[in-house]
């Protein structure tokens, strides 16, 4: 991998340096399927870039990491470029200083790959309305992570729900994919009418009320959220006319599926790394209508 540093630079110089490096290495900019813009703080950049790079092994991308530094310093743009065999695509880490922090879109826009989708990911704090953010407005898909915020996942999920626009999604939703798949499979056979239910998870875990909202919206039944010791989601219980359908996870890897009239069954239900969640979201670049229905139901019914 080749790393090249540019201090007090411009977007034009960065693009020219990328072209020079590709020519030097004999690696033309082909095969990259999207531009992934990661907007984060300095303290999050290492983990965020690692997750983005791992996700890019499935979706070769130009990864643009945007870090807004001190806004009271003179205007300056520093860049770190990475390209090579160990990097599935291209990486540029941008550090913005001074008034440039308020105009990050003017730096990012010239660096977007032409004629390819743009995805923006905020691993930590995100705008209240991502679609109206200057960088978010450049993207077809906008990924947030309610769980990644210091102030509490539930309240950040409320903000995401109120500011939702088509193309938005949250990694709290991606964390639910194995749960939703298992629950959907459990209903492949007739199980009767669901009267009520409950989702248990660690206190403040945003995926719990999101799963409850999805279930309530799909089943037309009240689903409450209760706290557990965790980690993450621990169980779903649905009351049926002839008993209870439940999924109970105890060790973040395996779960027990119980259905009326059938023996209990152990199923794989492992917690996944951020890179896996991000790779899943990058597989679809259109709006997720199921997430939209769930998050809007959450916005209507949440009483916290």
């Amino acid at each position: 991998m080749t790393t090249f540093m540019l201090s007090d630079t411009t977007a034009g110089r960065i693009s020219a340096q990328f072209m020079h490096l590709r020519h030097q290495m004999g690696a033309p900019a082909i095969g990259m399927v999207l531009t992934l813009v990661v907007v984060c703080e300095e303290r999050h950049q290492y983990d965020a870039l690692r997750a983005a790079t791992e996700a890019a092994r499935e979706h070769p991308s130009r990864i643009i990491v945007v870090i807004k530094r001190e806004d009271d310093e003179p205007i300056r743009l520093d860049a770190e470029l990475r390209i090579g065999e160990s990097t599935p695509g291209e990486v540029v880490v941008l550090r913005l200083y001074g008034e440039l922090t308020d105009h990050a879109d003017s730096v990012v826009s010239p660096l977007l790959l032409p004629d390819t989708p743009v995805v923006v990911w905020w691993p930590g704090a995100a705008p209240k309305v991502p679609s109206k953010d200057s960088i978010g407005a450049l993207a077809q898909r906008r990924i947030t992570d309610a769980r990644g915020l210091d102030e509490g996942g539930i309240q950040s999920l409320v903000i995401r729900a109120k500011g939702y626009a088509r193309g938005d999604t949250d990694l709290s939703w991606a964390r639910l994919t194995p749960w939703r798949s298992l629950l959907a499979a459990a209903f492949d056979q007739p199980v009767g009418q669901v009267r009520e239910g409950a989702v248990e998870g660690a206190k403040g875990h945003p995926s719990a009320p999101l799963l409850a909202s999805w279930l309530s919206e799909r089943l037309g039944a009240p689903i409450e959220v209760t706290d557990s010791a965790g980690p993450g989601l621990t169980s779903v219980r649905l009351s049926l006319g002839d008993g209870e359908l439940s999924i109970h996870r105890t060790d973040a890897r395996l779960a027990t599926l119980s259905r009326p009239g059938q023996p209990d069954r152990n199923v794989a239900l492992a917690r996944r790394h951020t890179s896996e969640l991000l790779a899943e979201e990058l597989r679809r670049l259109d709006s997720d209508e199921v997430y939209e229905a769930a998050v809007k139901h959450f916005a209507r019914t949440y009483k916290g």
Side-chain angles (χ1 to χ4, degrees), residues 93-150:
V93 180
L94 305 173
R95 290 180 172 86
L96 287 64
Y97 296 83
E99 295 181 8
L100 200 57
T101 59
D102 294 326
H103 305 282
D105 58 310
S106 65
V107 178
V108 170
S109 184
L111 299 176
L112 303 177
L113 291 173
D115 303 321
T116 58
V118 178
V119 180
V120 178
W121 174 39
W122 292 269
K128 288 186 176 181
V129 184
S131 62
K132 294 183 178 180
D133 176 75
S134 60
I135 293 182
L138 301 173
Q140 287 78 33
R141 288 277 279 173
R142 295 164 295 275
I143 305 172
T144 54
D145 190 356
R147 187 178 146 198
L149 295 180
D150 297 333

Side-chain angles (χ1 to χ4, degrees), residues 178-179 182 233-236 246-258 264-271:
W179 287 85
L182 187 54
L233 294 175
T234 52
S235 73
V236 174
S246 69
I247 301 172
H248 185 63
R249 183 172 68 178
T250 57
D251 63 358
R253 293 181 300 162
L254 292 174
T256 301
L257 171 63
S258 302
D264 291 352
R265 182 161 62 94
N266 290 329
V267 293
L269 197 59
R271 302 184 77 192

Side-chain angles (χ1 to χ4, degrees), residues 20-87:
H20 174 71
L21 290 174
R22 284 198 300 265
H23 177 74
Q24 194 175 53
M25 299 182 64
I30 59 174
M32 288 187 286
V33 297
L34 57 87
T35 302
L36 175 61
V37 183
V38 184
V39 184
C40 65
E41 298 178 27
E42 189 72 63
R43 63 193 174 114
H44 294 147
Q45 71 90 13
Y46 177 81
D47 290 337
L49 181 54
R50 182 175 62 180
T53 302
E54 290 175 359
R57 300 191 187 284
E58 181 177 334
H59 311 276
S61 314
R62 171 175 285 182
I63 301 170
I64 303 173
V65 181
V66 179
I67 304 171
K68 298 179 182 180
R69 298 297 300 264
E70 295 77 8
D71 58 6
D72 57 352
E73 291 195 9
I75 294 177
R76 190 173 90 248
L77 171 63
D78 294 340
E80 177 183 340
L81 284 62
R82 304 177 188 175
I83 186 172
E85 293 183 1
S86 62
T87 302

